């Protein structure tokens, strides 16, 4: 994108900022995200929502604005400056809409950038694990009284094992010989784990686990921290929708307790850190324990394992489908991600008994 174009879109929104420059933020796999630097702070984050992935973009934006408003209400006693650091605040267009649609049909939304904060792709400090637990736990806590029927299902059956498994099965039907051969060891792993990985799905379908407002993308890079390593704000609320607690717990564990990034190709570097699991769980339960049912609690550790599997399966399926979903940087990027996640499950499984007791 040219600066001129970005500036034009930025100026459709209501703010006092004067555009100075922009920079693409490249850590996400789906949307296009730009940091807008203004002559005088605050800075902003401008985002183009991927319409290939998200079919109801306006519904998505309405979801996240409604949840943000709900959290803002909970934090209303904070001074404005502090409040704007604890929750994403979206900016309206001059037409008072929460998004702008450009001439090519793209949808854009704008939010305040939270300055002086840190994000992590991997964790190297136990305090971050604990703080992340409190932060994501608190997000669920603050949204627990939000009426789930007011949210659309942004991606239908997003963390639904039967759905993900059927997508994998159709991918197997049409995959090239070469990719099938290269993915063989991963496919074997799917077959080994399949039954166990449907346990939570079955409980969900039986109505034994309740639906709540969940974030659905609680990887550690979606949490902001202060320079003193304290939890600050949960970001990337695109996939906020009704879901179960296990996958929010699990996606955080997947990324916090792995000793390497999700696409690390040297699998010797991928290990599972039990101490971080304990610390995250402690923080999470400090915020959530009283609102979890015994069944929800019982299945948290299996939820973590299942979430790692869902990600492995999705990366693998996208590889089998010739990389049509995730942004990739090289031809086998998705396969490497899948192998990495299967290695993480293997490490997790070795420590499973210990983790279940925590
Ligand atoms: C995608 O775009 P990003 O990085 O926020 C994906 C998540 C995955 C994640 C893996 C809508 O999130 O489900 O966990 O990649 N989002 C969507 O890093 O599919
Ligand atoms: Mg996301």
């Amino acid at each position: 994108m040219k600066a001129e174009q970005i500036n034009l879109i930025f100026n459709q929104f209501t703010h006092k900022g004067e555009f100075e420059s922009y920079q693409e933020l490249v850590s996400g796999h789906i949307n296009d995200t730009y940091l807008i630097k203004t002559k005088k702070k605050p800075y902003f984050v401008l985002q183009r929502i991927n319409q290939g992935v998200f079919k109801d973009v306006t519904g998505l934006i309405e979801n996240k604005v409604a949840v943000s408003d709900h959290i803002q209400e909970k934090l209303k006693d904070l001074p404005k400056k502090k409040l704007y650091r604890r929750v994403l605040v979206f900016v309206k267009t001059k037409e008072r809409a929460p998004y702008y649609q450009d001439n090519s049909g793209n949808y854009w939304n704008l939010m305040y950038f939270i300055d002086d904060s840190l994000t992590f792709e991997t964790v190297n400090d136990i305090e971050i694990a604990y703080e992340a637990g409190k932060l994501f736990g608190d997000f669920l806590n603050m949204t627990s009284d939000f009426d789930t029927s007011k949210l659309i299902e942004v991606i239908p059956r997003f963390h639904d094992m039967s759905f993900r498994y059927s997508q994998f099965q159709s991918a197997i039907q049409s995959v090239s010989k070469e990719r099938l051969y290269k993915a063989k060891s991963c496919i074997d792993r799917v077959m080994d784990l399949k039954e166990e990985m449907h346990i939570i799905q079955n409980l969900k379908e039986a109505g034994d686990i309740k639906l709540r407002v969940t974030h659905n993308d609680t990887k550690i890079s979606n949490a902001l921290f202060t320079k003193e390593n304290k939890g600050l704000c949960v970001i990337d609320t695109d996939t906020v929708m009704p879901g179960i607690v296990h996958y929010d717990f699990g996606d955080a564990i997947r990324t916090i307790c792995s000793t390497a990034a999700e696409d690390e190709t040297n699998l010797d570097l991928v290990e599972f850190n039990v101490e971080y699991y304990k610390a995250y769980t402690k923080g999470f339960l400090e915020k959530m324990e009283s609102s979890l049912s015994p069944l929800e609690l019982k299945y948290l550790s299996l939820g973590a394992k299942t979430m790692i599997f869902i990600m492995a399966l999705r990366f693998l399926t996208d590889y089998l489908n010739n990389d049509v979903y995730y942004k990739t940087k090289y031809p086998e990027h998705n396969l490497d991600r899948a192998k990495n996640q299967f290695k993480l499950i293997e490490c997790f499984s070795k420590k499973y008994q210990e983790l279940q007791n925590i």
Side-chain angles (χ1 to χ4, degrees):
M1 292 285 285
K2 284 197 195 118
E4 250 166 71
Q5 280 169 294
I6 295 276
N7 183 17
L8 207 84
I9 296 160
F10 176 55
N11 281 325
Q12 302 303 316
F13 291 85
T14 325
H15 52 74
K16 296 195 185 97
E18 213 181 311
F19 180 90
E20 186 158 80
S21 63
Y22 81 98
Q23 174 190 326
E24 184 164 3
L25 303 173
V26 290
S27 99
H29 298 354
I30 309 284
N31 294 322
D32 298 318
T33 310
Y34 304 94
L35 170 65
I36 307 278
K37 294 187 174 169
T38 49
K39 299 221 161 101
K40 197 166 156 260
K41 286 180 181 177
Y43 291 169
F44 293 85
V45 174
L46 181 68
Q47 200 167 39
R48 172 171 50 196
I49 306 294
N50 182 323
Q51 291 185 73
V53 166
F54 298 108
K55 303 299 171 207
D56 182 354
V57 178
T58 59
L60 173 153
I61 295 171
E62 278 154 14
N63 265 14
K64 59 182 184 178
V65 170
V67 167
S68 165
D69 289 349
H70 186 84
I71 297 176
Q72 286 179 47
E73 182 59 30
K74 299 265 148 148
L75 299 174
K76 66 171 189 277
D77 292 338
L78 291 176
K80 189 172 164 192
K81 252 196 155 162
K82 281 217 165 115
L83 178 98
Y84 274 48
R85 297 180 62 70
R86 294 283 312 280
V87 57
L88 290 179
V89 177
F90 296 92
V91 183
K92 287 206 163 71
T93 64
K94 289 173 180 159
E95 265 79 57
R96 315 291 308 148
Y99 49 81
Y100 169 69
Q101 190 176 24
D102 69 21
N103 294 336
S104 319
N106 296 304
Y107 284 98
W108 297 85
N109 69 110
L110 185 76
M111 64 207 118
Y112 283 88
F113 175 67
I114 300 174
D115 223 341
D116 284 324
S117 63
L118 303 174
T119 55
F120 301 95
E121 294 291 328
T122 51
V123 174
N124 293 306
D125 180 342
I126 195 159
E127 198 187 359
I128 293 293
Y130 171 65
E131 286 291 320
K134 285 199 293 183
L135 193 63
F136 286 127
D138 211 23
F139 182 88
L140 292 181
N141 208 10
M142 285 191 286
T143 54
S144 62
D145 57 344
F146 189 99
D147 179 0
T148 50
S149 70
K150 295 208 171 107
L151 296 177
I152 64 145
E153 220 185 334
V154 179
I155 296 182
R157 307 185 70 187
F158 188 52
H159 292 325
D160 178 309
M161 187 59 80
S162 316
F163 173 58
R164 294 303 182 188
Y165 188 72
S166 71
Q167 286 185 315
F168 160 76
Q169 281 178 310
S170 5
I172 293 272
Q173 299 306 314
S174 52
V175 63
S176 70
K177 278 217 176 81
E178 190 202 337
R179 286 201 175 211
L180 181 66
Y181 176 75
K182 286 191 171 153
K184 171 86 173 56
S185 65
C186 290
I187 295 170
D188 291 346
R189 295 298 293 136
V190 174
M191 296 309 170
D192 298 341
L193 289 159
K194 189 179 106 197
E195 307 285 319
E196 186 192 15
M197 295 296 97
H198 277 79
I199 294 175
I200 290 184
Q201 176 70 26
N202 295 338
L203 290 167
K204 197 171 113 186
E205 279 173 22
D208 293 336
I209 301 177
K210 79 165 196 183
L211 288 183
R212 16 167 115 241
V213 175
T214 49
H215 180 282
N216 298 303
D217 191 11
T218 51
K219 55 181 174 183
I220 187 62
S221 56
N222 281 337
L224 302 183
F225 296 86
T226 67
K227 295 200 167 127
E228 294 73 40
N229 284 352
K230 297 295 171 208
L232 186 61
C233 182
V234 172
I235 60 168
D236 184 8
T237 47
D238 290 349
T239 47
V240 160
M241 62 184 143
I244 59 175
V245 64
H246 302 87
Y247 298 142
D248 273 11
F249 177 81
D251 210 21
I253 293 296
R254 176 179 78 83
T255 48
I256 289 169
C257 301
S258 176
T259 50
E262 70 183 11
D263 61 354
E264 173 60 55
T265 53
N266 179 355
L267 298 184
D268 290 339
L269 300 180
V270 181
E271 278 296 331
F272 190 88
N273 188 320
V274 176
E275 292 312 308
Y276 290 0
Y277 184 95
K278 281 186 197 160
Y280 180 85
T281 305
K282 181 170 185 288
F284 189 78
L285 292 183
E286 275 173 23
K287 298 289 181 182
M288 281 298 284
E289 191 160 19
S290 58
S291 58
L292 294 179
S293 72
L295 203 70
E296 283 180 313
L297 262 177
K298 180 176 167 198
Y299 284 103
L300 282 183
S301 50
L302 182 61
K305 188 172 178 182
T306 309
M307 191 63 220
I308 308 171
F309 180 81
I310 289 179
M311 288 313 308
L313 188 63
R314 290 177 60 200
F315 287 140
L316 175 62
T317 303
D318 199 33
Y319 175 73
L320 299 172
N321 284 335
N322 297 322
D323 313 313
V324 289
Y325 186 87
Y326 291 112
K327 291 182 183 175
T328 51
K329 297 202 174 97
Y330 58 93
E332 284 177 20
H333 202 169
N334 273 320
L335 182 62
D336 285 340
R337 288 166 173 153
K339 286 183 179 164
N340 174 306
Q341 299 292 291
F342 282 117
K343 167 75 196 286
L344 189 63
I345 298 180
E346 188 188 314
C347 303
F348 187 101
S349 301
K350 284 189 190 139
K351 296 176 176 166
Y352 198 29
Q353 201 52 50
E354 191 183 343
L355 298 173
Q356 272 181 312
N357 295 334
I358 291 169

